[in-house]
Amino acid sequence: MNNRTVRFLLNPFERIAGFQALSWGFLGLVLSIGLAYFTDYHYHGLLHYGSAPNPVWWCFMAEHFIVWLIPALLFYIGGMLLSRSKIRALDVFGTVLFAQIPLLFTNLIVFLPFYKQMSAIDPTGPLQEQIAQASELMLQPGFWLGLWLSLVAFVFVIWMGYLMFKALAVSCNLKGTKLAILFCIGFFGGDFICRIIINLLYS
Amino acid sequence: MEEIKKKLPLHCPACESPLRVARLFCKSCETEVSGSFELPLFSRLTEKDQTFIIEFIKSSGSLKDMAKDMGISYPTVRNLLDDLIEKIKFLEKGGQNE
């Protein structure tokens, strides 16, 4: 991989923004919704994933849109207040959606049988039953491979976070403390708000 | 022999203080003017900033066209311009370029 490619992977927004980023991001979003539906992999928030009691297709779609729109909206409002540049909503929403493309790879990893068994464990069920299911899972031949792939999935989540940071920096022209504060509000605060809203879909 | 294109030094190589013009010379009649003149604002910008301004004028101030020509995104060009505006304001107030 040459320097140009590495640079693009770490900050694609120097080259892609606006409508172009929105188009590619939207394609990723549609694929991600499809994969999540077939694997029954729900987005509970920006940083929380797993099984959920609502298997209908629109629930997966709503989760994806919430996970995109809430942090993007927080970034946009914050950018309007903190940036000295005239920012465009198209850039903010487009780059944030593009930044979430790495989550597509985590959806692919979920296709493995190990994850299906893991997601079958009911976290609200009796503790003894959970331990029994987890013990059975550990004896499966693909367990360690699955565990390693979990770490790979984690790398993609970190990459998504890093891209969202860059998306905010480029689309809102923020630096230093302002950038760090707004990112924390949009990313972690966004995850919190997403979880509250998405939880309403399950009730 | 091809003449070497010299780069205008902006800072003193010994103490890093900003340089001023002390002598101007007419190549055709060899008249010399001495004094202490400040460099124009444009000259005090970095070469990269000067190139950006020239490209900005050449594209009639269209950031979209500039982004297309430079192969970078629109917000990146806008950010470069906004940073440059801040730098110019800073220089106008008497600040020194890095």
Side-chain angles (χ1 to χ4, degrees):
Chain A
M1 237 190 293
N2 59 27
N3 275 352
R4 203 181 149 109
T5 313
V6 172
R7 211 174 149 184
F8 181 79
L9 290 173
L10 292 176
N11 189 6
F13 311 115
E14 271 185 6
R15 299 192 174 274
I16 288 179
F19 188 71
Q20 210 180 359
L22 190 72
S23 306
W24 282 108
F26 200 76
L27 183 70
L29 181 87
V30 171
L31 286 171
S32 184
I33 292 169
L35 285 171
Y37 179 70
F38 286 114
T39 51
D40 195 30
Y41 185 63
H42 288 264
Y43 282 21
H44 300 162
L46 186 60
L47 300 166
H48 296 81
Y49 324 98
S51 57
N54 195 348
V56 291
W57 66 270
W58 60 260
C59 184
F60 293 92
M61 197 174 80
E63 286 167 3
H64 278 75
F65 272 91
I66 291 164
V67 162
W68 162 41
L69 294 171
I70 297 295
L73 191 66
L74 290 172
F75 282 174
Y76 183 62
I77 295 167
M80 295 269 278
L81 295 170
L82 299 174
S83 179
R84 55 189 161 77
S85 294
K86 200 179 170 189
I87 63 170
R88 301 190 307 177
L90 180 67
D91 289 325
V92 181
F93 284 85
T95 53
V96 167
L97 188 58
F98 191 94
Q100 291 182 354
I101 288 177
L103 288 181
L104 196 64
F105 297 102
T106 60
N107 288 12
L108 283 171
I109 291 169
V110 177
F111 259 115
L112 294 166
F114 162 78
Y115 281 94
K116 281 182 185 155
Q117 285 173 315
M118 197 167 73
S119 61
I121 299 172
D122 181 14
T124 57
L127 186 69
Q128 273 191 327
E129 203 176 301
Q130 279 184 55
I131 293 168
Q133 282 178 310
S135 308
E136 196 188 321
L137 188 71
M138 283 174 78
L139 295 171
Q140 297 294 320
F143 175 76
W144 291 106
L145 176 71
L147 206 66
W148 276 110
L149 285 170
S150 304
L151 292 174
V152 175
F154 188 60
V155 169
F156 284 114
V157 174
I158 293 170
W159 185 22
M160 178 271 293
Y162 183 74
L163 289 185
M164 282 185 69
F165 181 78
K166 287 290 175 187
L168 175 66
V170 173
S171 66
C172 296
N173 192 20
L174 290 172
K175 293 178 188 80
T177 318
K178 281 181 184 176
L179 173 63
I181 291 170
L182 186 55
F183 175 74
C184 288
I185 293 169
F187 194 71
F188 299 108
D191 175 55
F192 181 72
I193 297 168
C194 285
R195 288 182 73 186
I196 292 169
I197 298 171
I198 290 170
N199 204 35
L200 297 173
L201 299 171
Y202 308 144
S203 56
Chain B
M1 204 174 128
E2 201 178 314
E3 200 180 329
I4 301 164
K5 195 186 170 193
K6 290 181 192 168
K7 200 174 152 187
L8 179 71
L10 299 173
H11 295 96
C12 168
C15 72
E16 289 287 311
S17 296
L19 292 171
R20 292 176 70 86
V21 179
R23 196 168 74 89
L24 292 157
F25 173 73
C26 173
K27 210 175 174 182
S28 55
C29 72
E30 298 189 344
T31 299
E32 272 189 30
V33 181
S34 325
S36 178
F37 308 100
E38 198 175 18
L39 282 167
L41 195 139
F42 186 78
S43 311
R44 280 185 278 154
L45 294 169
T46 62
E47 210 174 322
K48 198 181 156 192
D49 292 337
Q50 290 178 19
T51 310
F52 183 87
I53 293 169
I54 291 164
E55 289 301 320
F56 182 72
I57 294 164
K58 276 159 86 176
S59 62
S60 308
S62 166
L63 295 183
K64 277 182 187 168
D65 288 349
M66 267 187 94
K68 212 173 169 184
D69 293 343
M70 293 167 83
I72 54 178
S73 68
Y74 172 86
T76 305
V77 181
R78 183 208 56 207
N79 296 349
L80 288 171
L81 179 67
D82 288 341
D83 292 346
L84 189 55
I85 291 167
E86 287 300 309
K87 199 185 266 185
I88 289 170
K89 281 179 184 171
F90 176 72
L91 288 173
E92 279 178 340
K93 281 180 189 168
Q96 305 301 333
N97 204 351
E98 288 158 16

